[in-house]
Structure formats: C-alpha cells, structure tokens
C-alpha cells in the first residue's frame, strides 16, 4: 500500500500548503449538510484508495471542513467510483445500482451528520491548530520516508529483473526433437533432469501427446542432447 499512502500524503501536503486555512468556513460556514453534499458529489465518481483518503481527509479538516463531511469523504470515496458504478450497472442492472448508490449516499450522510453532532468541530479544530512538529513526529516522518524509499527500490529492482529475464528469454535458442517411447508423464520426468543437466540447456518441455521434446538454451550441443535421450531409454527420430 506504500504507493497509495505516498499519493495521499502528497495530496494532503498540497492541500495543507496551498488551500487557505479557513476555506470551508468562509464559503460554507457551519452548514454541515451543504458541506456533506458537496463532498459526496466529488467523492462518488472519484476513485480514492482507503489508505490514501485518510491523510487527504485530515488535510481538508485542517482547512475548515466539518468533521462530518470528512467522514462522508472517507466512506463514499473508497466505496464508489465511475468504474465501479459502470460495472454494477452492467452486471446487476439499474435497480441494484440505485440500491448500491442509495446505501452509500444515505449511509454516509447519516453517519456524517451523527458524527458531526457527537464530536464538536471546535474540538477538532483546536487539536489541529495546537499540533506542533516535535522530535517524535520528525523521527516518524523520516522513518516513513525511508520505508517508502525501501519499497520503491525493491519494486524497481524487481521490475529491472523482469526486464532482464524477458530479454534473456528472447535470446534463448529453441530446438524440438521427435522422440519415440514417450507414453506418460513418468517418461517426461525421466527425460527432463537428464537434458537439463547438459551444458547450455536452460529448460526442457516434454509433450507426451505429440511425443516431442523441446529444449531452450544458449549454444547447446545437439549431439549431446540426442545421446542423453538415448541414454534415458528413448529413441530420437532426428
């Protein structure tokens, strides 16, 4: 989840840095229902991961968004998006889609209103304003950044390894031999170790139905392959 978390932190940092601290208070005041409806309209079609939505919601609360509207964002954002709405419509029809959207809309609005009624906005605002970057927060931020960097490097290494393996696979030579006497998987399991042990052979595939053996490798010796097939008790026809 590190990529989604990283994206959420970047977005929340942008919101905290560039949006006015009293944005929601200036334009929406204390109208909790209008705030929730506006957030709902944005959240329903937008895809936001549950992991990324948390820091974004925290940043929006810091700019004056009511805590109930933030809860609507946390519920409706990860629960729906344009792709999901289209998939539900195609798979289940209009009635099920309306039930699906109605559940999200009514549920998030009701929970947001109740949540906002229980937790006073002034309390949340004061907590956000009194927060200061202490030594523990600094250490945590550095540790989180190092962890994300570690995961990013690991994924980059895996990606480069996949590219290298694909390139090596494209450079491999392939040769197919017709072999008599292959009648079961036991024959295949007998042939594979003998051929894979040869110099230059990377992999061996045996097709029991067709009676063929396909080897892949680099600069392998055909004579050595034919000899290994005969020594295993089978007869190559080539």
């Amino acid at each position: 989840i590190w990529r989604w978390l990283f994206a959420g932190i970047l977005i929340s940092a942008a919101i905290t840095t560039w949006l006015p601290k009293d944005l929601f208070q200036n334009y929406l005041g204390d109208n909790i229902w209008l705030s929730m409806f506006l957030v709902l309209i944005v959240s329903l079609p937008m895809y936001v991961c549950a992991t990324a939505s948390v820091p974004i919601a925290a940043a929006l609360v810091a700019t004056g968004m009511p805590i109930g509207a933030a809860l609507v964002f946390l519920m409706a954002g990860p629960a729906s998006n344009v792709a999901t709405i289209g998939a539900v419509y195609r798979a289940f029809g209009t009635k099920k889609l309306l039930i699906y959207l109605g559940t999200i809309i009514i549920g998030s609005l009701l929970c947001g209103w109740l949540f906002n009624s229980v937790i006073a906005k002034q309390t949340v605002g004061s907590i956000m304003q009194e927060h200061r970057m202490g030594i523990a927060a600094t250490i945590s931020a550095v540790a989180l950044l190092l962890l994300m960097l570690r995961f990013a490097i690991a994924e980059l290494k895996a990606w480069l390894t996949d590219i290298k393996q694909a390139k090596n696979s494209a450079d491999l030579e392939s040769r197919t031999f017709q072999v008599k006497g292959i009648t079961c998987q036991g024959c295949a399991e007998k042939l594979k170790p003998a051929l894979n042990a040869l110099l230059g052979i990377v992999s061996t595939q045996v097709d029991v139905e067709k009676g063929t053996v396909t080897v892949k490798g680099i600069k392998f010796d055909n004579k050595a392959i034919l000899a290994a097939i005969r020594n295993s008790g089978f007869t190559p026809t080539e």
Side-chain angles (χ1 to χ4, degrees):
I1 64 172
W2 76 269
R3 285 172 293 181
W4 289 111
L5 183 60
F6 184 69
I9 291 175
L10 283 181
I11 296 173
S12 63
I15 293 173
T16 304
T17 303
W18 289 307
L19 288 187
K21 298 298 181 182
D22 53 357
L23 175 67
F24 286 90
Q25 293 175 353
N26 288 343
Y27 291 97
L28 299 178
D30 295 327
N31 194 327
I32 177 62
W33 286 104
L34 180 58
S35 299
M36 292 193 300
F37 273 116
L38 290 177
V39 170
L40 184 66
I41 292 173
V42 174
S43 302
L44 281 178
M46 181 180 68
Y47 177 78
V48 57
C49 175
T51 304
S53 64
V54 175
I56 297 175
L60 290 173
V61 170
T63 62
M65 173 187 282
I67 189 69
L71 182 64
V72 172
F73 174 76
L74 290 173
M75 295 178 66
S80 69
N81 56 73
V82 174
T84 303
I85 292 173
V88 172
Y89 172 74
R90 289 192 299 270
F92 302 103
T94 304
K95 182 179 178 181
K96 298 290 180 63
L97 175 62
L98 293 177
I99 295 175
Y100 164 71
L101 292 177
T103 302
I104 296 174
I105 293 172
I106 296 174
S108 61
L109 290 176
L110 181 60
C111 290
W113 176 72
L114 291 174
F115 197 66
N116 199 78
S117 301
V118 173
I119 300 181
K121 183 177 67 175
Q122 291 80 6
T123 303
V124 177
S126 62
I127 293 175
M128 299 293 293
Q129 293 171 4
E130 292 172 4
H131 178 72
R132 294 292 183 272
M133 180 66 77
I135 183 65
T138 303
I139 294 175
S140 300
V142 173
L144 180 61
L145 181 62
L146 292 176
L147 282 174
M148 289 183 177
L149 184 62
R150 174 190 174 190
F151 293 134
I153 293 174
E155 287 197 7
L156 179 61
K157 287 183 178 179
W159 179 66
L160 294 175
T161 300
D162 291 340
I163 293 178
K164 184 178 180 181
Q165 290 178 348
K167 182 179 179 181
N168 292 338
S169 178
D171 294 338
L172 294 178
E173 300 178 29
S174 179
R175 185 73 185 276
T176 300
F177 300 87
Q178 196 73 35
V179 180
K180 291 183 180 180
I182 300 179
T183 58
C184 63
Q185 288 298 325
C187 302
E189 296 303 322
K190 184 178 180 181
L191 265 176
K192 287 181 180 180
L195 295 176
N196 288 336
L198 298 177
L199 183 64
I201 301 297
V202 175
S203 65
T204 302
Q205 293 181 341
V206 179
D207 191 323
V208 177
E209 294 182 359
K210 296 181 179 179
T212 59
V213 175
T214 301
V215 295
K216 291 184 178 181
I218 301 175
K219 297 180 180 180
F220 47 76
D221 187 352
N222 287 342
K223 293 182 179 180
I225 294 174
L226 295 175
I229 293 175
R230 293 189 184 95
N231 293 334
S232 299
F234 304 97
T235 305
T237 58
E238 184 178 357

